[in-house]
Amino acid sequence: MKKTAAFRSAAIIGIDISKSSIQLYGVDEHGNPTLGKLCNRSQFKEFVANLQPCIIGTEACAGAHYWSRYLRTHGHKVKLIAPQFVKPFDKSNKNDRADAEAICEAVQRPTMRFVSAKTVELQDIQSLHRIRSQVVANRTAMVNQIRGLPLEYGIDMPNGIRRARVKIPLVLEDAENGLTVRFRNWLAQLYSELVHLDERVSGLDSDIEQIASSEEDAKRLMSIPGIGPMCSTALIAAIGDIRNFKNGRELSAWLGLVPRQCSTGGKPRLLGISKRGDVYLRQLLVHGARSVVQRVEGKSDPRSRWLQELLKRRNKNVAIVALANKLVRTVYALLVKKMEYRQDFALPVS
């Protein structure tokens, strides 16, 4: 009974999640250890059901968002922490108990940064983007193989997926290009797989466009030049609750689009962009900014005039990254103020 009462008196609990087991470490309101327990998934659910509401922290790892939603249904306040922010609190060798203790310690820091927990709907959108990225990578690998193998037979395939799609049927139909019957059959199978991957990418793109047309925030972001269905849905899935960011610059820093600092002795020194955060999101934003730069000539709205002046004095790629930074800050302003983008209205930069 005393042990159960001690468990229930835990005010802050750190949990280290693995596939089949969960390690818990808890302290009371004074920071004194009251809980140290290793359990499996079913035991953990039973334990949580009998636990008084408290603060529970865990790393933002595989399964963390599911457990966050589950724990919230039992009245607990859940905080997700990026693994790199937990590492400094590890005191000694790595093991599950030490990791849970480090998480419990990190949760108590007043300046700690936390990860926004995702709803099931946002998890679906992010899963869709991850699946599409993998299918596109598989398609790229397939095209590279199709281009590489025929070189040993003296056949040069053109660069680019579009031109390769046109060239492959011509190679298969040419009976005098030196290909053996067996290799011609194998190449036809590779081409059939490529067509199947194209169909999968098209189907996933349709799903993304359908989601973008039904989500209010996604439609709001698509009003910004340079942001389409792909970028808007990826942004809302990754950001979650926009209130987790104090201003637009913090959101931009989270995506790695602000300068990296190397300052000391009171002398500020700014380097290139930090490239922290989600590479996929940053890639989408940079591609969107590049499409805007290619069509900026002759436009007279405030942002286009700013971009035209920037292109006169800086490298084109620098201007593209600067515009991507401005896109992120505009995204923050629209999500916070719940307003549509206006070309003739210069949004304040936070």
Side-chain angles (χ1 to χ4, degrees):
M1 292 296 294
K2 292 182 178 179
K3 191 174 184 181
T4 304
F7 284 179
R8 292 179 178 177
S9 66
I12 301 174
I13 298 176
I15 60 175
D16 183 58
I17 301 171
S18 65
K19 183 177 180 180
S20 58
S21 64
I22 298 175
Q23 175 71 51
L24 299 90
Y25 180 89
V27 297
D28 60 18
E29 60 273 11
H30 303 294
N32 300 315
T34 61
L35 170 63
K37 181 179 177 66
L38 178 65
C39 52
N40 58 34
R41 295 170 68 94
S42 59
Q43 291 171 341
F44 178 66
K45 289 184 176 181
E46 182 181 354
F47 174 79
V48 168
N50 298 319
L51 185 66
Q52 293 180 354
C54 61
I55 298 175
I56 299 180
T58 183
E59 290 182 336
C61 57
H65 292 283
Y66 162 74
W67 285 117
S68 174
R69 293 190 296 269
Y70 179 82
L71 293 170
R72 289 175 195 274
T73 60
H74 286 78
H76 301 290
K77 184 177 182 180
V78 184
K79 296 185 176 182
L80 304 182
I81 310 175
Q84 64 266 27
F85 294 152
V86 176
K87 184 63 177 176
F89 295 94
D90 272 323
K91 297 185 180 69
S92 58
N93 297 324
K94 175 176 173 55
N95 56 64
D96 291 345
R97 182 181 174 85
D99 289 345
E101 183 179 350
I103 293 169
C104 184
E105 182 69 25
V107 168
Q108 302 176 58
R109 298 303 93 198
T111 59
M112 180 56 63
R113 300 173 184 173
F114 299 105
V115 176
S116 176
K118 290 182 175 56
T119 62
V120 175
E121 292 76 18
L122 294 181
Q123 202 74 58
D124 285 347
I125 297 174
Q126 193 164 64
S127 298
L128 175 58
H129 278 272
R130 295 291 182 267
I131 293 170
R132 185 187 181 278
S133 296
Q134 185 61 54
V135 175
V136 170
N138 292 341
R139 184 179 65 176
T140 301
M142 182 68 65
V143 171
N144 289 338
Q145 187 176 55
I146 290 174
R147 291 182 60 248
L149 293 176
L151 283 176
E152 300 299 333
Y153 296 84
I155 298 175
D156 182 20
M157 291 283 189
N159 292 332
I161 294 179
R162 293 182 180 179
R163 289 191 289 177
R165 288 195 198 98
V166 176
K167 179 73 173 180
I168 296 169
L170 300 178
V171 172
L172 293 172
E173 293 173 2
D174 187 357
E176 300 179 356
N177 53 16
L179 294 182
T180 63
V181 175
R182 286 183 296 182
F183 181 78
R184 195 182 300 274
N185 182 43
W186 296 332
L187 186 61
Q189 293 176 15
L190 291 178
Y191 179 65
S192 177
E193 291 181 29
L194 176 61
V195 172
H196 173 66
L197 291 174
D198 282 336
E199 293 173 352
R200 286 199 63 192
V201 172
S202 298
L204 294 170
D205 287 343
S206 298
D207 291 339
I208 290 175
E209 291 176 2
Q210 182 179 0
I211 292 173
S213 63
S214 60
E215 288 284 339
E216 290 299 323
D217 282 341
K219 290 192 289 186
R220 187 173 289 113
L221 296 187
M222 284 192 293
S223 64
I224 307 172
I227 294 183
M230 193 79 62
C231 189
S232 63
T233 52
L235 280 169
I236 63 173
I239 292 172
D241 188 357
I242 192 63
R243 292 171 296 180
N244 290 327
F245 299 94
K246 293 186 295 186
N247 50 46
R249 190 188 188 282
E250 189 172 277
L251 178 60
S252 186
W254 179 68
L255 290 170
L257 288 169
V258 299
R260 183 164 53 94
Q261 286 196 32
C262 186
S263 305
T264 184
K267 297 180 180 179
R269 183 187 177 197
L270 299 180
L271 307 176
I273 60 171
S274 65
K275 295 184 180 180
R276 295 171 181 166
D278 196 323
V279 177
Y280 177 71
L281 275 178
R282 190 166 57 252
Q283 182 185 54
L284 290 177
L285 288 163
V286 169
H287 285 333
R290 181 174 286 110
S291 68
V292 173
V293 169
Q294 291 174 347
R295 298 168 176 80
V296 72
E297 292 297 331
K299 296 185 178 180
S300 59
D301 59 278
R303 191 178 68 167
S304 295
R305 292 199 302 270
W306 166 82
L307 186 56
Q308 290 163 7
E309 291 298 322
L310 182 61
L311 286 168
K312 291 178 182 178
R313 63 181 189 273
R314 298 304 298 268
N315 181 275
K316 183 177 180 180
N317 288 330
V318 173
I320 288 172
V321 174
L323 179 58
N325 187 357
K326 186 176 283 289
L327 286 177
V328 174
R329 299 183 183 217
T330 306
V331 164
Y332 177 85
L334 296 190
L335 292 179
V336 168
K337 298 180 180 180
K338 299 297 181 182
M339 59 184 293
E340 298 292 330
Y341 177 79
R342 286 171 47 192
Q343 268 193 330
D344 59 343
F345 179 73
L347 289 171
V349 178
S350 301

